[in-house]
Amino acid sequence: MRLSLFNLTWIAVSVVSSLTISFSSVRAETDVYVDNNCRQVSDSVLQSLSEPPWFQYQNVFYGRKFTANNENYWLYAARTGDGSVQFCISQPNFVNPQVINADEISYQFIESINQAGDNNPTFTVRVREGQNTNSPFIDYRLNLSNPNQPIVT
């Protein structure tokens, strides 16, 4: 069976189109946004906006479960409009969210966040000291053993 150039082109366009549509619909379903108080923004609110949500809300790009005082919590980080990061803690499903206010990591440019182990309340946060590619890094330890009083060293 010989395929003409037209048929090959049509097949290629169809495959690329279906991949693009699938990717964009999956991405839209998995994006989570929070407000300045770490509260999750509902899909209905996002859909009613006349401008993209990143102007008004932060996109959550990192989230990990941890255990402290025999209770489950989430640490999540959301990127703000200028690229800096807001850190948040809540109980599962965004219950009782709170902003982590720590000058060393809050609203800084974050290179990486790593949890010390599954469910461990200790995280390493690598802060980039500026927006340039050659900016130095500083590693901080975020201890959430007491979620109401985060400790950054």
Short mmCIF file of all heavy atoms in Angstrom, two decimals, residues 64-114:
data_model
loop_
_atom_site.label_atom_id
_atom_site.label_comp_id
_atom_site.label_asym_id
_atom_site.label_seq_id
_atom_site.Cartn_x
_atom_site.Cartn_y
_atom_site.Cartn_z
N ARG A 64 3.61 18.42 48.69
CA ARG A 64 3.99 17.15 49.32
C ARG A 64 3.26 16.98 50.64
O ARG A 64 3.07 17.94 51.39
CB ARG A 64 5.49 17.07 49.60
CG ARG A 64 6.38 17.04 48.39
CD ARG A 64 6.20 15.77 47.57
NE ARG A 64 7.06 15.73 46.42
CZ ARG A 64 6.81 16.33 45.26
NH1 ARG A 64 5.73 17.02 45.08
NH2 ARG A 64 7.66 16.23 44.26
N LYS A 65 2.90 15.75 50.93
CA LYS A 65 2.25 15.42 52.20
C LYS A 65 3.34 15.18 53.24
O LYS A 65 4.40 14.65 52.94
CB LYS A 65 1.42 14.15 52.01
CG LYS A 65 0.63 13.74 53.24
CD LYS A 65 -0.26 12.55 52.94
CE LYS A 65 0.52 11.29 53.26
NZ LYS A 65 -0.27 10.07 53.19
N PHE A 66 3.06 15.59 54.48
CA PHE A 66 3.96 15.28 55.59
C PHE A 66 3.13 15.06 56.84
O PHE A 66 1.95 15.43 56.89
CB PHE A 66 5.02 16.38 55.79
CG PHE A 66 4.49 17.69 56.28
CD1 PHE A 66 4.47 17.99 57.64
CD2 PHE A 66 4.03 18.64 55.40
CE1 PHE A 66 3.99 19.20 58.10
CE2 PHE A 66 3.55 19.85 55.84
CZ PHE A 66 3.53 20.14 57.20
N THR A 67 3.73 14.43 57.82
CA THR A 67 3.05 14.13 59.08
C THR A 67 3.75 14.86 60.21
O THR A 67 4.98 14.83 60.31
CB THR A 67 3.05 12.61 59.35
OG1 THR A 67 2.43 11.95 58.24
CG2 THR A 67 2.29 12.28 60.62
N ALA A 68 2.95 15.53 61.04
CA ALA A 68 3.47 16.20 62.23
C ALA A 68 2.43 16.06 63.32
O ALA A 68 1.23 16.21 63.06
CB ALA A 68 3.75 17.67 61.94
N ASN A 69 2.88 15.76 64.52
CA ASN A 69 1.97 15.57 65.66
C ASN A 69 0.86 14.56 65.34
O ASN A 69 -0.30 14.75 65.68
CB ASN A 69 1.35 16.91 66.08
CG ASN A 69 2.39 17.94 66.38
OD1 ASN A 69 3.45 17.64 66.92
ND2 ASN A 69 2.11 19.18 66.01
N ASN A 70 1.22 13.49 64.62
CA ASN A 70 0.30 12.42 64.22
C ASN A 70 -0.86 12.91 63.35
O ASN A 70 -1.91 12.27 63.30
CB ASN A 70 -0.24 11.68 65.45
CG ASN A 70 0.85 10.91 66.15
OD1 ASN A 70 1.70 10.30 65.51
ND2 ASN A 70 0.84 10.95 67.47
N GLU A 71 -0.69 14.03 62.67
CA GLU A 71 -1.70 14.53 61.74
C GLU A 71 -1.07 14.75 60.38
O GLU A 71 0.12 15.03 60.27
CB GLU A 71 -2.29 15.86 62.25
CG GLU A 71 -3.13 15.70 63.49
CD GLU A 71 -3.86 16.98 63.85
OE1 GLU A 71 -4.46 17.60 62.93
OE2 GLU A 71 -3.83 17.37 65.01
N ASN A 72 -1.89 14.62 59.33
CA ASN A 72 -1.41 14.83 57.97
C ASN A 72 -1.55 16.30 57.58
O ASN A 72 -2.56 16.94 57.91
CB ASN A 72 -2.19 13.97 56.98
CG ASN A 72 -1.88 12.50 57.14
OD1 ASN A 72 -0.75 12.14 57.44
ND2 ASN A 72 -2.87 11.66 56.94
N TYR A 73 -0.54 16.79 56.88
CA TYR A 73 -0.52 18.15 56.36
C TYR A 73 0.01 18.14 54.95
O TYR A 73 0.60 17.15 54.51
CB TYR A 73 0.40 19.05 57.22
CG TYR A 73 -0.11 19.28 58.61
CD1 TYR A 73 0.26 18.44 59.66
CD2 TYR A 73 -0.93 20.38 58.90
CE1 TYR A 73 -0.20 18.66 60.94
CE2 TYR A 73 -1.38 20.60 60.19
CZ TYR A 73 -1.02 19.74 61.21
OH TYR A 73 -1.47 19.96 62.48
N TRP A 74 -0.14 19.26 54.27
CA TRP A 74 0.46 19.48 52.96
C TRP A 74 1.35 20.70 53.04
O TRP A 74 0.98 21.72 53.62
CB TRP A 74 -0.60 19.77 51.91
CG TRP A 74 -1.44 18.63 51.46
CD1 TRP A 74 -1.28 17.31 51.73
CD2 TRP A 74 -2.59 18.73 50.63
NE1 TRP A 74 -2.26 16.58 51.12
CE2 TRP A 74 -3.08 17.43 50.44
CE3 TRP A 74 -3.26 19.79 50.02
CZ2 TRP A 74 -4.21 17.16 49.67
CZ3 TRP A 74 -4.38 19.52 49.26
CH2 TRP A 74 -4.84 18.21 49.09
N LEU A 75 2.49 20.61 52.42
CA LEU A 75 3.29 21.78 52.10
C LEU A 75 3.10 21.99 50.61
O LEU A 75 3.24 21.05 49.83
CB LEU A 75 4.78 21.57 52.40
CG LEU A 75 5.70 22.65 51.83
CD1 LEU A 75 5.52 23.97 52.59
CD2 LEU A 75 7.14 22.21 51.84
N TYR A 76 2.73 23.19 50.22
CA TYR A 76 2.64 23.47 48.79
C TYR A 76 3.23 24.85 48.52
O TYR A 76 3.30 25.71 49.39
CB TYR A 76 1.22 23.33 48.24
CG TYR A 76 0.10 24.02 48.99
CD1 TYR A 76 -0.46 25.19 48.51
CD2 TYR A 76 -0.41 23.48 50.17
CE1 TYR A 76 -1.50 25.80 49.18
CE2 TYR A 76 -1.44 24.08 50.84
CZ TYR A 76 -1.99 25.25 50.35
OH TYR A 76 -3.03 25.86 51.01
N ALA A 77 3.72 24.98 47.30
CA ALA A 77 4.38 26.22 46.88
C ALA A 77 3.72 26.69 45.60
O ALA A 77 3.44 25.90 44.70
CB ALA A 77 5.87 25.97 46.66
N ALA A 78 3.48 28.01 45.55
CA ALA A 78 2.81 28.60 44.40
C ALA A 78 3.66 29.73 43.84
O ALA A 78 4.20 30.54 44.59
CB ALA A 78 1.44 29.13 44.81
N ARG A 79 3.78 29.75 42.53
CA ARG A 79 4.60 30.77 41.87
C ARG A 79 3.75 32.02 41.62
O ARG A 79 2.67 31.94 41.07
CB ARG A 79 5.14 30.24 40.55
CG ARG A 79 6.33 31.03 40.08
CD ARG A 79 7.17 30.33 39.04
NE ARG A 79 7.60 28.98 39.30
CZ ARG A 79 8.65 28.64 40.06
NH1 ARG A 79 9.34 29.55 40.68
NH2 ARG A 79 8.99 27.38 40.19
N THR A 80 4.27 33.17 42.04
CA THR A 80 3.57 34.44 41.86
C THR A 80 3.89 35.02 40.48
O THR A 80 4.71 34.46 39.74
CB THR A 80 3.97 35.45 42.96
OG1 THR A 80 5.35 35.77 42.81
CG2 THR A 80 3.72 34.89 44.35
N GLY A 81 3.28 36.13 40.15
CA GLY A 81 3.44 36.73 38.84
C GLY A 81 4.86 37.10 38.48
O GLY A 81 5.26 37.03 37.32
N ASP A 82 5.69 37.47 39.47
CA ASP A 82 7.08 37.85 39.16
C ASP A 82 8.05 36.68 39.22
O ASP A 82 9.24 36.84 39.03
CB ASP A 82 7.55 38.98 40.09
CG ASP A 82 7.72 38.55 41.53
OD1 ASP A 82 7.41 37.37 41.88
OD2 ASP A 82 8.15 39.38 42.35
N GLY A 83 7.54 35.48 39.49
CA GLY A 83 8.38 34.28 39.53
C GLY A 83 8.82 33.89 40.92
O GLY A 83 9.40 32.82 41.11
N SER A 84 8.56 34.73 41.91
CA SER A 84 8.90 34.36 43.29
C SER A 84 7.87 33.34 43.79
O SER A 84 6.88 33.06 43.11
CB SER A 84 8.96 35.58 44.19
OG SER A 84 7.69 36.19 44.29
N VAL A 85 8.10 32.80 44.98
CA VAL A 85 7.29 31.68 45.46
C VAL A 85 6.67 31.99 46.82
O VAL A 85 7.33 32.50 47.71
CB VAL A 85 8.13 30.39 45.53
CG1 VAL A 85 7.37 29.25 46.17
CG2 VAL A 85 8.58 29.99 44.13
N GLN A 86 5.40 31.64 46.93
CA GLN A 86 4.67 31.72 48.20
C GLN A 86 4.56 30.29 48.74
O GLN A 86 4.14 29.38 48.02
CB GLN A 86 3.28 32.29 47.96
CG GLN A 86 2.39 32.28 49.19
CD GLN A 86 0.98 32.79 48.88
OE1 GLN A 86 0.63 33.08 47.76
NE2 GLN A 86 0.18 32.90 49.91
N PHE A 87 4.96 30.08 50.01
CA PHE A 87 4.86 28.77 50.64
C PHE A 87 3.62 28.71 51.52
O PHE A 87 3.30 29.67 52.22
CB PHE A 87 6.10 28.50 51.49
CG PHE A 87 7.31 28.14 50.68
CD1 PHE A 87 8.16 29.13 50.21
CD2 PHE A 87 7.60 26.82 50.38
CE1 PHE A 87 9.27 28.82 49.46
CE2 PHE A 87 8.71 26.49 49.62
CZ PHE A 87 9.53 27.49 49.16
N CYS A 88 2.95 27.54 51.49
CA CYS A 88 1.71 27.36 52.23
C CYS A 88 1.70 26.01 52.94
O CYS A 88 2.33 25.05 52.48
CB CYS A 88 0.52 27.40 51.29
SG CYS A 88 0.39 28.88 50.26
N ILE A 89 0.95 25.96 54.04
CA ILE A 89 0.70 24.70 54.75
C ILE A 89 -0.82 24.60 54.92
O ILE A 89 -1.48 25.60 55.17
CB ILE A 89 1.31 24.70 56.16
CG1 ILE A 89 2.80 24.92 56.13
CG2 ILE A 89 0.98 23.40 56.89
CD1 ILE A 89 3.40 25.09 57.52
N SER A 90 -1.33 23.38 54.79
CA SER A 90 -2.74 23.15 55.10
C SER A 90 -2.90 21.70 55.51
O SER A 90 -1.99 20.88 55.36
CB SER A 90 -3.64 23.47 53.90
OG SER A 90 -3.57 22.44 52.94
N GLN A 91 -4.07 21.39 55.99
CA GLN A 91 -4.44 20.00 56.16
C GLN A 91 -4.89 19.53 54.78
O GLN A 91 -5.09 20.36 53.88
CB GLN A 91 -5.54 19.88 57.22
CG GLN A 91 -5.02 20.25 58.60
CD GLN A 91 -6.13 20.40 59.62
OE1 GLN A 91 -7.26 20.71 59.28
NE2 GLN A 91 -5.79 20.20 60.88
N PRO A 92 -5.04 18.22 54.56
CA PRO A 92 -5.42 17.74 53.21
C PRO A 92 -6.65 18.47 52.66
O PRO A 92 -7.53 18.89 53.42
CB PRO A 92 -5.70 16.25 53.44
CG PRO A 92 -4.78 15.91 54.57
CD PRO A 92 -4.81 17.12 55.48
N ASN A 93 -6.69 18.60 51.35
CA ASN A 93 -7.77 19.25 50.61
C ASN A 93 -7.90 20.74 50.93
O ASN A 93 -8.99 21.29 50.93
CB ASN A 93 -9.09 18.53 50.83
CG ASN A 93 -9.04 17.11 50.31
OD1 ASN A 93 -8.55 16.86 49.22
ND2 ASN A 93 -9.50 16.18 51.12
N PHE A 94 -6.76 21.38 51.24
CA PHE A 94 -6.71 22.82 51.47
C PHE A 94 -7.54 23.27 52.67
O PHE A 94 -8.05 24.39 52.70
CB PHE A 94 -7.12 23.59 50.20
CG PHE A 94 -6.23 23.31 49.04
CD1 PHE A 94 -6.57 22.36 48.09
CD2 PHE A 94 -5.04 23.99 48.87
CE1 PHE A 94 -5.75 22.10 47.00
CE2 PHE A 94 -4.20 23.74 47.79
CZ PHE A 94 -4.56 22.79 46.86
N VAL A 95 -7.66 22.41 53.67
CA VAL A 95 -8.39 22.76 54.89
C VAL A 95 -7.45 23.52 55.83
O VAL A 95 -6.32 23.11 56.06
CB VAL A 95 -8.92 21.48 55.59
CG1 VAL A 95 -9.53 21.80 56.95
CG2 VAL A 95 -9.92 20.77 54.69
N ASN A 96 -7.91 24.65 56.35
CA ASN A 96 -7.14 25.52 57.25
C ASN A 96 -5.79 25.93 56.67
O ASN A 96 -4.74 25.73 57.29
CB ASN A 96 -6.94 24.85 58.62
CG ASN A 96 -8.24 24.58 59.32
OD1 ASN A 96 -9.16 25.37 59.26
ND2 ASN A 96 -8.32 23.43 59.99
N PRO A 97 -5.79 26.53 55.49
CA PRO A 97 -4.51 26.93 54.89
C PRO A 97 -3.89 28.11 55.62
O PRO A 97 -4.59 28.94 56.22
CB PRO A 97 -4.91 27.33 53.47
CG PRO A 97 -6.33 27.79 53.61
CD PRO A 97 -6.93 26.92 54.68
N GLN A 98 -2.57 28.15 55.58
CA GLN A 98 -1.86 29.31 56.14
C GLN A 98 -0.60 29.57 55.33
O GLN A 98 0.02 28.65 54.80
CB GLN A 98 -1.53 29.11 57.62
CG GLN A 98 -0.56 27.98 57.91
CD GLN A 98 -0.33 27.78 59.40
OE1 GLN A 98 -1.18 28.07 60.22
NE2 GLN A 98 0.84 27.30 59.75
N VAL A 99 -0.24 30.84 55.25
CA VAL A 99 0.97 31.26 54.56
C VAL A 99 2.15 31.06 55.49
O VAL A 99 2.06 31.33 56.69
CB VAL A 99 0.88 32.75 54.16
CG1 VAL A 99 2.16 33.24 53.52
CG2 VAL A 99 -0.31 32.99 53.25
N ILE A 100 3.27 30.55 54.95
CA ILE A 100 4.51 30.48 55.72
C ILE A 100 5.22 31.80 55.54
O ILE A 100 5.58 32.17 54.42
CB ILE A 100 5.40 29.31 55.25
CG1 ILE A 100 4.72 27.98 55.52
CG2 ILE A 100 6.77 29.38 55.93
CD1 ILE A 100 5.49 26.78 55.01
N ASN A 101 5.40 32.54 56.63
CA ASN A 101 6.09 33.82 56.59
C ASN A 101 7.50 33.64 57.12
O ASN A 101 7.72 33.66 58.33
CB ASN A 101 5.34 34.88 57.41
CG ASN A 101 4.03 35.27 56.75
OD1 ASN A 101 4.00 35.51 55.55
ND2 ASN A 101 2.97 35.30 57.51
N ALA A 102 8.43 33.41 56.23
CA ALA A 102 9.84 33.25 56.60
C ALA A 102 10.65 34.01 55.55
O ALA A 102 10.67 33.62 54.38
CB ALA A 102 10.23 31.78 56.62
N ASP A 103 11.27 35.10 55.96
CA ASP A 103 11.98 35.98 55.02
C ASP A 103 12.99 35.23 54.15
O ASP A 103 13.19 35.60 53.00
CB ASP A 103 12.70 37.09 55.77
CG ASP A 103 11.74 38.09 56.39
OD1 ASP A 103 10.57 38.15 55.94
OD2 ASP A 103 12.15 38.79 57.32
N GLU A 104 13.60 34.19 54.69
CA GLU A 104 14.65 33.48 53.95
C GLU A 104 14.11 32.78 52.69
O GLU A 104 14.82 32.65 51.70
CB GLU A 104 15.33 32.42 54.83
CG GLU A 104 15.97 32.98 56.08
CD GLU A 104 15.02 33.03 57.27
OE1 GLU A 104 13.80 32.87 57.10
OE2 GLU A 104 15.52 33.23 58.39
N ILE A 105 12.84 32.32 52.74
CA ILE A 105 12.30 31.55 51.62
C ILE A 105 11.05 32.16 51.00
O ILE A 105 10.76 31.94 49.83
CB ILE A 105 12.02 30.08 52.01
CG1 ILE A 105 10.97 30.00 53.11
CG2 ILE A 105 13.31 29.38 52.40
CD1 ILE A 105 10.48 28.60 53.42
N SER A 106 10.29 32.93 51.76
CA SER A 106 9.03 33.48 51.28
C SER A 106 9.27 34.55 50.22
O SER A 106 10.07 35.46 50.42
CB SER A 106 8.23 34.09 52.43
OG SER A 106 7.90 33.10 53.37
N TYR A 107 8.57 34.41 49.11
CA TYR A 107 8.63 35.37 48.01
C TYR A 107 10.06 35.56 47.48
O TYR A 107 10.45 36.63 47.08
CB TYR A 107 7.96 36.69 48.39
CG TYR A 107 6.53 36.45 48.79
CD1 TYR A 107 6.15 36.40 50.12
CD2 TYR A 107 5.57 36.20 47.81
CE1 TYR A 107 4.84 36.12 50.48
CE2 TYR A 107 4.26 35.92 48.17
CZ TYR A 107 3.90 35.88 49.50
OH TYR A 107 2.60 35.60 49.85
N GLN A 108 10.79 34.47 47.49
CA GLN A 108 12.13 34.41 46.90
C GLN A 108 12.05 33.61 45.60
O GLN A 108 11.03 33.00 45.30
CB GLN A 108 13.12 33.75 47.87
CG GLN A 108 13.24 34.44 49.21
CD GLN A 108 13.83 35.82 49.11
OE1 GLN A 108 14.66 36.11 48.25
NE2 GLN A 108 13.39 36.72 49.98
N PHE A 109 13.15 33.58 44.86
CA PHE A 109 13.23 32.78 43.64
C PHE A 109 13.75 31.41 44.03
O PHE A 109 14.90 31.28 44.46
CB PHE A 109 14.11 33.47 42.59
CG PHE A 109 13.58 34.81 42.22
CD1 PHE A 109 14.18 35.96 42.68
CD2 PHE A 109 12.44 34.93 41.43
CE1 PHE A 109 13.67 37.21 42.37
CE2 PHE A 109 11.93 36.17 41.10
CZ PHE A 109 12.54 37.31 41.58
N ILE A 110 12.92 30.40 43.90
CA ILE A 110 13.22 29.06 44.39
C ILE A 110 13.70 28.18 43.24
O ILE A 110 13.03 28.06 42.21
CB ILE A 110 11.98 28.43 45.06
CG1 ILE A 110 11.45 29.34 46.18
CG2 ILE A 110 12.28 27.03 45.57
CD1 ILE A 110 12.44 29.66 47.28
N GLU A 111 14.84 27.58 43.44
CA GLU A 111 15.41 26.67 42.44
C GLU A 111 14.86 25.26 42.62
O GLU A 111 14.56 24.57 41.65
CB GLU A 111 16.93 26.68 42.56
CG GLU A 111 17.64 25.86 41.53
CD GLU A 111 17.55 26.45 40.12
OE1 GLU A 111 17.24 27.64 39.97
OE2 GLU A 111 17.79 25.69 39.18
N SER A 112 14.75 24.80 43.89
CA SER A 112 14.23 23.45 44.13
C SER A 112 13.73 23.33 45.56
O SER A 112 14.12 24.10 46.44
CB SER A 112 15.31 22.40 43.87
OG SER A 112 16.39 22.56 44.76
N ILE A 113 12.86 22.34 45.76
CA ILE A 113 12.33 21.99 47.07
C ILE A 113 12.40 20.48 47.16
O ILE A 113 11.93 19.78 46.26
CB ILE A 113 10.86 22.44 47.24
CG1 ILE A 113 10.70 23.92 46.90
CG2 ILE A 113 10.36 22.12 48.64
CD1 ILE A 113 9.26 24.35 46.71
N ASN A 114 13.01 19.97 48.23
CA ASN A 114 13.13 18.52 48.38
C ASN A 114 12.75 18.11 49.80
O ASN A 114 13.25 18.69 50.76
CB ASN A 114 14.57 18.06 48.09
CG ASN A 114 14.92 18.28 46.65
OD1 ASN A 114 14.29 17.72 45.77
ND2 ASN A 114 15.92 19.11 46.39
#
